[in-house]
Amino acid sequence: MFSQQLVNAISLGGVYALFALGFTLVFGVLNVVNLAHGAIFMLGSYAALQAVLLLKLPLLAALLFAMLVTASGGWLLDKLIFAPLRARQAPHLAPMIATIGLAIALNSSIQGLFGAENLRFPAEILPANALSFGAIQITQLEIQIIVLAFALMAVLLWGLKRTRVGWALRGLAESPKAAALLGVNVEGYFRATAVIASSLGGVAGVLIALYSNAVFPSMGQPMLHKGIAVVILGGMGDVRGALLGGFFLGFAEVFSVAYI
């Protein structure tokens, strides 16, 4: 039983870490607590579901569609909310209030369009095959969730450490003024940060929706609470801390349910 719960904890912790990475990236670079991140998470799951139901896309294409939708949402979020507040040098409380309003508007709009009931992905598109390793049973879907979550985390960490974009983002996190003096396009990279973070949030939404096979308008709110707990546990703005915090929360949740 321990081995089986270990697999469950890794898959769930990977999704939590992915969500927390987007949340902490916005805080670390933009110095903003984005309380609409849970709504972006929810938007990603609905985008993937509609891509499957209406556009008849396969699961991987639906995931890419959800990333595109949430990336566009992140671009609009920075363009319409964060950038004007930065230009006005608004206090830190202003973006928090604005993103709370955005989250409420998104949740209400989705509920008005699709209703408040749980929606599900068609059973025929979900991989049902399971592999057995002794006492451990792991489904093909769980394997795909784990692989995708770890791959995205690895790409993000590599990008932050090894690419010019990553160096620029790390410089912005240290000092936007110093980065601007060195020729960094500050506003452009701020917007890119919002796009990357929203994409990660959207992917996490799709993975959780597939994991539980449940999509509903308020699904982002408990995830936002978990994301806040993760980034506080791992350190606000600390990418490695968000990774460790996400896995810690996943392990704590799974093993407490299994044994307590």
Side-chain angles (χ1 to χ4, degrees):
M1 184 175 176
F2 175 82
S3 301
Q4 183 66 59
Q5 298 305 327
L6 185 63
V7 172
N8 297 340
I10 291 173
S11 59
L12 190 60
V15 179
Y16 286 169
L18 201 60
F19 178 85
L21 277 175
F23 191 79
T24 201
L25 193 63
V26 169
F27 181 83
V29 177
L30 276 69
N31 198 25
V32 168
V33 178
N34 179 16
L35 296 180
H37 199 56
I40 296 291
F41 166 91
M42 175 270 299
L43 181 63
S45 64
Y46 271 93
L49 180 62
Q50 295 308 306
V52 168
L53 295 179
L54 298 181
L55 303 179
K56 307 300 181 184
L57 295 180
L59 204 51
L60 181 57
L63 179 67
L64 295 175
F65 178 77
M67 288 184 70
L68 179 62
V69 169
T70 52
S72 302
W75 189 90
L76 290 172
L77 175 65
D78 187 75
K79 174 74 174 178
L80 301 178
I81 296 179
F82 292 156
L85 291 175
R86 282 197 303 269
R88 292 167 48 193
Q89 296 184 343
H92 291 299
L93 194 59
M96 294 176 64
I97 295 172
T99 52
I100 289 173
L102 176 62
I104 293 172
L106 273 175
N107 287 343
S108 299
S109 299
I110 291 295
Q111 185 168 331
L113 286 171
F114 302 105
E117 67 276 5
N118 281 3
L119 302 178
R120 302 186 184 280
F121 285 88
E124 59 270 15
I125 74 160
L126 299 178
N129 298 333
L131 301 177
S132 296
F133 301 95
I136 303 175
Q137 290 246 338
I138 180 168
T139 66
Q140 186 178 343
L141 179 61
E142 285 180 313
I143 294 174
Q144 291 175 355
I145 289 173
I146 292 171
V147 169
L148 183 59
F150 274 82
L152 287 173
M153 287 185 283
V155 168
L156 180 64
L157 291 175
W158 175 82
L160 288 174
K161 288 185 177 181
R162 302 294 182 185
T163 66
R164 297 182 69 86
V165 173
W167 298 337
L169 293 180
R170 290 164 63 191
L172 282 175
E174 291 294 331
S175 173
K177 291 183 179 179
L181 290 173
L182 292 172
V184 173
N185 180 1
V186 173
E187 284 299 314
Y189 280 109
F190 277 160
R191 192 147 303 157
T193 300
V195 168
I196 294 169
S198 296
S199 300
L200 293 175
V203 172
V206 178
L207 296 183
I208 283 290
L210 293 172
Y211 188 83
S212 61
N213 201 11
V215 179
F216 52 96
S218 60
M219 64 185 294
Q221 196 61 33
M223 194 67 179
L224 178 64
H225 297 160
K226 292 175 182 178
I228 292 173
V230 166
V231 297
I232 291 175
L233 180 67
M236 295 292 281
D238 189 332
V239 172
R240 290 170 298 180
L243 285 174
L244 294 175
F247 281 105
F248 178 84
L249 184 62
F251 274 70
E253 185 173 318
V254 169
F255 281 103
S256 62
V257 169
Y259 292 105
I260 301 177

PDB file of all heavy atoms in Angstrom, residues 16-17 23 28 61 68-69 97-98 112 121 124 135 149 156 172 185 190-191 202 234 237 242 255:
ATOM      1  N   TYR A  16       0.821  20.001  -8.205  1.00  0.00           N
ATOM      2  CA  TYR A  16       0.855  21.114  -7.246  1.00  0.00           C
ATOM      3  C   TYR A  16       2.103  21.979  -7.467  1.00  0.00           C
ATOM      4  O   TYR A  16       2.035  23.210  -7.414  1.00  0.00           O
ATOM      5  CB  TYR A  16       0.858  20.583  -5.814  1.00  0.00           C
ATOM      6  CG  TYR A  16      -0.457  20.036  -5.334  1.00  0.00           C
ATOM      7  CD1 TYR A  16      -0.550  19.318  -4.141  1.00  0.00           C
ATOM      8  CD2 TYR A  16      -1.633  20.215  -6.063  1.00  0.00           C
ATOM      9  CE1 TYR A  16      -1.754  18.810  -3.687  1.00  0.00           C
ATOM     10  CE2 TYR A  16      -2.844  19.707  -5.624  1.00  0.00           C
ATOM     11  CZ  TYR A  16      -2.893  18.999  -4.427  1.00  0.00           C
ATOM     12  OH  TYR A  16      -4.088  18.493  -3.985  1.00  0.00           O
ATOM     13  N   ALA A  17       3.232  21.332  -7.697  1.00  0.00           N
ATOM     14  CA  ALA A  17       4.466  22.084  -7.917  1.00  0.00           C
ATOM     15  C   ALA A  17       4.376  22.907  -9.194  1.00  0.00           C
ATOM     16  O   ALA A  17       4.845  24.050  -9.245  1.00  0.00           O
ATOM     17  CB  ALA A  17       5.648  21.115  -7.985  1.00  0.00           C
ATOM     18  N   PHE A  23       2.678  30.556  -9.926  1.00  0.00           N
ATOM     19  CA  PHE A  23       2.299  31.526  -8.899  1.00  0.00           C
ATOM     20  C   PHE A  23       3.522  32.261  -8.352  1.00  0.00           C
ATOM     21  O   PHE A  23       3.534  33.491  -8.228  1.00  0.00           O
ATOM     22  CB  PHE A  23       1.563  30.791  -7.779  1.00  0.00           C
ATOM     23  CG  PHE A  23       0.893  31.689  -6.785  1.00  0.00           C
ATOM     24  CD1 PHE A  23      -0.322  32.279  -7.071  1.00  0.00           C
ATOM     25  CD2 PHE A  23       1.465  31.944  -5.557  1.00  0.00           C
ATOM     26  CE1 PHE A  23      -0.953  33.108  -6.157  1.00  0.00           C
ATOM     27  CE2 PHE A  23       0.856  32.765  -4.638  1.00  0.00           C
ATOM     28  CZ  PHE A  23      -0.362  33.347  -4.937  1.00  0.00           C
ATOM     29  N   GLY A  28       7.934  36.511  -7.888  1.00  0.00           N
ATOM     30  CA  GLY A  28       9.368  36.746  -7.884  1.00  0.00           C
ATOM     31  C   GLY A  28       9.808  37.807  -8.873  1.00  0.00           C
ATOM     32  O   GLY A  28      10.706  38.599  -8.580  1.00  0.00           O
ATOM     33  N   ALA A  61      -3.376  17.612 -28.133  1.00  0.00           N
ATOM     34  CA  ALA A  61      -3.704  18.857 -28.825  1.00  0.00           C
ATOM     35  C   ALA A  61      -4.600  19.731 -27.963  1.00  0.00           C
ATOM     36  O   ALA A  61      -4.472  20.967 -27.958  1.00  0.00           O
ATOM     37  CB  ALA A  61      -4.379  18.553 -30.158  1.00  0.00           C
ATOM     38  N   LEU A  68      -2.430  27.658 -24.921  1.00  0.00           N
ATOM     39  CA  LEU A  68      -2.571  28.854 -25.743  1.00  0.00           C
ATOM     40  C   LEU A  68      -3.615  29.794 -25.166  1.00  0.00           C
ATOM     41  O   LEU A  68      -3.405  31.013 -25.096  1.00  0.00           O
ATOM     42  CB  LEU A  68      -2.948  28.449 -27.170  1.00  0.00           C
ATOM     43  CG  LEU A  68      -3.165  29.585 -28.177  1.00  0.00           C
ATOM     44  CD1 LEU A  68      -1.884  30.392 -28.359  1.00  0.00           C
ATOM     45  CD2 LEU A  68      -3.635  29.029 -29.517  1.00  0.00           C
ATOM     46  N   VAL A  69      -4.753  29.240 -24.721  1.00  0.00           N
ATOM     47  CA  VAL A  69      -5.818  30.064 -24.148  1.00  0.00           C
ATOM     48  C   VAL A  69      -5.339  30.749 -22.870  1.00  0.00           C
ATOM     49  O   VAL A  69      -5.530  31.955 -22.681  1.00  0.00           O
ATOM     50  CB  VAL A  69      -7.071  29.205 -23.878  1.00  0.00           C
ATOM     51  CG1 VAL A  69      -8.096  29.983 -23.040  1.00  0.00           C
ATOM     52  CG2 VAL A  69      -7.702  28.765 -25.185  1.00  0.00           C
ATOM     53  N   ILE A  97      -6.285  43.265  -5.196  1.00  0.00           N
ATOM     54  CA  ILE A  97      -7.720  43.551  -5.301  1.00  0.00           C
ATOM     55  C   ILE A  97      -8.187  43.369  -6.743  1.00  0.00           C
ATOM     56  O   ILE A  97      -9.259  42.796  -7.004  1.00  0.00           O
ATOM     57  CB  ILE A  97      -8.013  44.975  -4.798  1.00  0.00           C
ATOM     58  CG1 ILE A  97      -7.698  45.074  -3.304  1.00  0.00           C
ATOM     59  CG2 ILE A  97      -9.463  45.364  -5.063  1.00  0.00           C
ATOM     60  CD1 ILE A  97      -7.768  46.476  -2.753  1.00  0.00           C
ATOM     61  N   ALA A  98      -7.381  43.843  -7.690  1.00  0.00           N
ATOM     62  CA  ALA A  98      -7.756  43.732  -9.104  1.00  0.00           C
ATOM     63  C   ALA A  98      -7.846  42.273  -9.533  1.00  0.00           C
ATOM     64  O   ALA A  98      -8.768  41.890 -10.273  1.00  0.00           O
ATOM     65  CB  ALA A  98      -6.746  44.481  -9.965  1.00  0.00           C
ATOM     66  N   GLY A 112     -21.909  30.975 -15.838  1.00  0.00           N
ATOM     67  CA  GLY A 112     -23.014  31.376 -16.686  1.00  0.00           C
ATOM     68  C   GLY A 112     -23.027  30.648 -18.019  1.00  0.00           C
ATOM     69  O   GLY A 112     -24.097  30.326 -18.547  1.00  0.00           O
ATOM     70  N   PHE A 121     -14.454  14.640 -18.831  1.00  0.00           N
ATOM     71  CA  PHE A 121     -13.898  14.264 -20.120  1.00  0.00           C
ATOM     72  C   PHE A 121     -14.518  12.931 -20.558  1.00  0.00           C
ATOM     73  O   PHE A 121     -14.806  12.075 -19.714  1.00  0.00           O
ATOM     74  CB  PHE A 121     -12.381  14.111 -20.029  1.00  0.00           C
ATOM     75  CG  PHE A 121     -11.641  15.416 -19.956  1.00  0.00           C
ATOM     76  CD1 PHE A 121     -11.393  16.025 -18.727  1.00  0.00           C
ATOM     77  CD2 PHE A 121     -11.195  16.037 -21.100  1.00  0.00           C
ATOM     78  CE1 PHE A 121     -10.710  17.227 -18.657  1.00  0.00           C
ATOM     79  CE2 PHE A 121     -10.506  17.238 -21.050  1.00  0.00           C
ATOM     80  CZ  PHE A 121     -10.273  17.837 -19.816  1.00  0.00           C
ATOM     81  N   GLU A 124     -13.737   7.587 -23.268  1.00  0.00           N
ATOM     82  CA  GLU A 124     -12.989   6.917 -24.345  1.00  0.00           C
ATOM     83  C   GLU A 124     -11.662   7.594 -24.673  1.00  0.00           C
ATOM     84  O   GLU A 124     -10.792   6.980 -25.298  1.00  0.00           O
ATOM     85  CB  GLU A 124     -13.835   6.812 -25.617  1.00  0.00           C
ATOM     86  CG  GLU A 124     -14.304   8.135 -26.192  1.00  0.00           C
ATOM     87  CD  GLU A 124     -15.642   8.591 -25.635  1.00  0.00           C
ATOM     88  OE1 GLU A 124     -16.066   8.029 -24.601  1.00  0.00           O
ATOM     89  OE2 GLU A 124     -16.242   9.488 -26.225  1.00  0.00           O
ATOM     90  N   ALA A 135       3.159  -4.881  -6.242  1.00  0.00           N
ATOM     91  CA  ALA A 135       1.926  -4.426  -5.596  1.00  0.00           C
ATOM     92  C   ALA A 135       1.470  -3.069  -6.126  1.00  0.00           C
ATOM     93  O   ALA A 135       0.411  -2.577  -5.737  1.00  0.00           O
ATOM     94  CB  ALA A 135       2.137  -4.334  -4.085  1.00  0.00           C
ATOM     95  N   ALA A 149       4.423  16.731 -16.127  1.00  0.00           N
ATOM     96  CA  ALA A 149       4.709  17.675 -15.046  1.00  0.00           C
ATOM     97  C   ALA A 149       6.215  17.823 -14.830  1.00  0.00           C
ATOM     98  O   ALA A 149       6.746  18.933 -14.732  1.00  0.00           O
ATOM     99  CB  ALA A 149       4.018  17.231 -13.758  1.00  0.00           C
ATOM    100  N   LEU A 156      11.509  24.546 -17.456  1.00  0.00           N
ATOM    101  CA  LEU A 156      11.501  25.861 -16.812  1.00  0.00           C
ATOM    102  C   LEU A 156      12.792  26.109 -16.043  1.00  0.00           C
ATOM    103  O   LEU A 156      13.400  27.186 -16.162  1.00  0.00           O
ATOM    104  CB  LEU A 156      10.295  25.975 -15.883  1.00  0.00           C
ATOM    105  CG  LEU A 156      10.178  27.309 -15.138  1.00  0.00           C
ATOM    106  CD1 LEU A 156       9.950  28.463 -16.104  1.00  0.00           C
ATOM    107  CD2 LEU A 156       9.064  27.269 -14.098  1.00  0.00           C
ATOM    108  N   LEU A 172      15.606  40.715 -13.417  1.00  0.00           N
ATOM    109  CA  LEU A 172      14.427  41.500 -13.063  1.00  0.00           C
ATOM    110  C   LEU A 172      13.975  41.204 -11.640  1.00  0.00           C
ATOM    111  O   LEU A 172      13.531  42.109 -10.915  1.00  0.00           O
ATOM    112  CB  LEU A 172      13.279  41.204 -14.026  1.00  0.00           C
ATOM    113  CG  LEU A 172      13.334  41.860 -15.398  1.00  0.00           C
ATOM    114  CD1 LEU A 172      12.189  41.366 -16.257  1.00  0.00           C
ATOM    115  CD2 LEU A 172      13.254  43.376 -15.261  1.00  0.00           C
ATOM    116  N   ASN A 185      14.615  44.653 -21.835  1.00  0.00           N
ATOM    117  CA  ASN A 185      13.275  45.172 -22.116  1.00  0.00           C
ATOM    118  C   ASN A 185      12.365  44.794 -20.950  1.00  0.00           C
ATOM    119  O   ASN A 185      11.741  43.733 -20.942  1.00  0.00           O
ATOM    120  CB  ASN A 185      12.749  44.581 -23.423  1.00  0.00           C
ATOM    121  CG  ASN A 185      11.360  45.082 -23.777  1.00  0.00           C
ATOM    122  OD1 ASN A 185      10.768  45.900 -23.051  1.00  0.00           O
ATOM    123  ND2 ASN A 185      10.814  44.599 -24.870  1.00  0.00           N
ATOM    124  N   PHE A 190       8.324  41.439 -18.302  1.00  0.00           N
ATOM    125  CA  PHE A 190       7.218  41.359 -17.348  1.00  0.00           C
ATOM    126  C   PHE A 190       6.030  40.641 -17.988  1.00  0.00           C
ATOM    127  O   PHE A 190       5.403  39.774 -17.387  1.00  0.00           O
ATOM    128  CB  PHE A 190       6.795  42.759 -16.900  1.00  0.00           C
ATOM    129  CG  PHE A 190       7.626  43.327 -15.781  1.00  0.00           C
ATOM    130  CD1 PHE A 190       7.659  44.689 -15.552  1.00  0.00           C
ATOM    131  CD2 PHE A 190       8.361  42.509 -14.951  1.00  0.00           C
ATOM    132  CE1 PHE A 190       8.412  45.222 -14.518  1.00  0.00           C
ATOM    133  CE2 PHE A 190       9.129  43.020 -13.912  1.00  0.00           C
ATOM    134  CZ  PHE A 190       9.151  44.382 -13.696  1.00  0.00           C
ATOM    135  N   ARG A 191       5.728  41.024 -19.244  1.00  0.00           N
ATOM    136  CA  ARG A 191       4.597  40.402 -19.924  1.00  0.00           C
ATOM    137  C   ARG A 191       4.880  38.928 -20.216  1.00  0.00           C
ATOM    138  O   ARG A 191       3.989  38.082 -20.105  1.00  0.00           O
ATOM    139  CB  ARG A 191       4.275  41.154 -21.207  1.00  0.00           C
ATOM    140  CG  ARG A 191       2.944  40.782 -21.837  1.00  0.00           C
ATOM    141  CD  ARG A 191       2.317  41.962 -22.520  1.00  0.00           C
ATOM    142  NE  ARG A 191       2.126  43.075 -21.608  1.00  0.00           N
ATOM    143  CZ  ARG A 191       2.019  44.351 -21.984  1.00  0.00           C
ATOM    144  NH1 ARG A 191       2.085  44.670 -23.264  1.00  0.00           N
ATOM    145  NH2 ARG A 191       1.844  45.301 -21.099  1.00  0.00           N
ATOM    146  N   GLY A 202      -2.488  26.899 -16.491  1.00  0.00           N
ATOM    147  CA  GLY A 202      -3.443  26.218 -17.362  1.00  0.00           C
ATOM    148  C   GLY A 202      -3.151  24.739 -17.504  1.00  0.00           C
ATOM    149  O   GLY A 202      -4.062  23.900 -17.464  1.00  0.00           O
ATOM    150  N   GLY A 234       7.671  27.130   0.739  1.00  0.00           N
ATOM    151  CA  GLY A 234       8.931  27.073   0.003  1.00  0.00           C
ATOM    152  C   GLY A 234       9.668  28.388  -0.083  1.00  0.00           C
ATOM    153  O   GLY A 234      10.830  28.421  -0.486  1.00  0.00           O
ATOM    154  N   GLY A 237       8.673  33.595  -4.093  1.00  0.00           N
ATOM    155  CA  GLY A 237       9.594  33.938  -5.167  1.00  0.00           C
ATOM    156  C   GLY A 237      10.712  32.933  -5.386  1.00  0.00           C
ATOM    157  O   GLY A 237      11.517  33.101  -6.294  1.00  0.00           O
ATOM    158  N   ALA A 242       9.293  26.341  -4.348  1.00  0.00           N
ATOM    159  CA  ALA A 242       7.952  26.003  -4.841  1.00  0.00           C
ATOM    160  C   ALA A 242       7.886  24.543  -5.270  1.00  0.00           C
ATOM    161  O   ALA A 242       6.888  23.853  -5.029  1.00  0.00           O
ATOM    162  CB  ALA A 242       7.581  26.918  -6.006  1.00  0.00           C
ATOM    163  N   PHE A 255      -0.775  10.854   1.920  1.00  0.00           N
ATOM    164  CA  PHE A 255      -0.490   9.932   3.019  1.00  0.00           C
ATOM    165  C   PHE A 255      -1.388  10.190   4.222  1.00  0.00           C
ATOM    166  O   PHE A 255      -1.693   9.251   4.971  1.00  0.00           O
ATOM    167  CB  PHE A 255       0.990  10.024   3.403  1.00  0.00           C
ATOM    168  CG  PHE A 255       1.889   9.279   2.471  1.00  0.00           C
ATOM    169  CD1 PHE A 255       2.644   9.945   1.523  1.00  0.00           C
ATOM    170  CD2 PHE A 255       1.975   7.895   2.513  1.00  0.00           C
ATOM    171  CE1 PHE A 255       3.459   9.261   0.642  1.00  0.00           C
ATOM    172  CE2 PHE A 255       2.792   7.192   1.650  1.00  0.00           C
ATOM    173  CZ  PHE A 255       3.539   7.879   0.709  1.00  0.00           C
TER     174      PHE A 255
END
